[in-house]
Amino acid sequence: MKKSNCLAALVLAGVLGAAALAGCSAPMADTGAVYNPGEPPLMTASHEGRYERLGANGCYGCHGSSDAAEVFLAQAPALPADHYAGGDVSTRAVDGPRAECITCHPVEQA
């Protein structure tokens, strides 16, 4: 196996392992959170403290667009295109202010 393939496999394993420890790999229960069209959705109560522990990269790990994150997008809503630099998902770069996830998406209070 080439050195670059080994490194890529190690990085992927590390990212997936970190996401599993953060709880992103576990299916999320439907909490019945009220979503009002036109407003940013609330984070479910099960996300309490995740942003504080993991920052925007923790959110991006499940909701972003990358080779490693695609596994989690089956159960986590993907970031909309307007959250990426230039409105282009293919950049895989979150637009600066959008990295402050909890500003618009506070945790739902049970």
Side-chain angles (χ1 to χ4, degrees):
M1 192 181 258
K2 288 184 174 181
K3 190 175 187 179
S4 61
N5 288 345
C6 289
L7 180 59
L10 286 172
V11 169
L12 179 60
V15 168
L16 292 175
L21 289 174
C24 290
S25 62
M28 301 304 297
D30 180 7
T31 63
V34 176
Y35 172 69
N36 297 311
E39 293 182 10
L42 299 175
M43 286 189 271
T44 61
S46 64
H47 282 58
E48 181 73 44
R50 282 191 186 172
Y51 182 82
E52 291 77 10
R53 285 191 320 272
L54 305 169
N57 286 333
C59 301
Y60 188 77
C62 292
H63 299 279
S65 175
S66 70
D67 293 336
E70 302 304 334
V71 174
F72 302 110
L73 288 176
Q75 295 178 352
L79 291 173
D82 68 358
H83 282 47
Y84 291 92
D88 183 2
V89 175
S90 69
T91 66
R92 294 186 174 171
V94 175
D95 185 38
R98 300 286 192 163
E100 297 298 323
C101 308
I102 61 173
T103 301
C104 297
H105 303 278
V107 175
E108 173 189 30
Q109 299 302 307

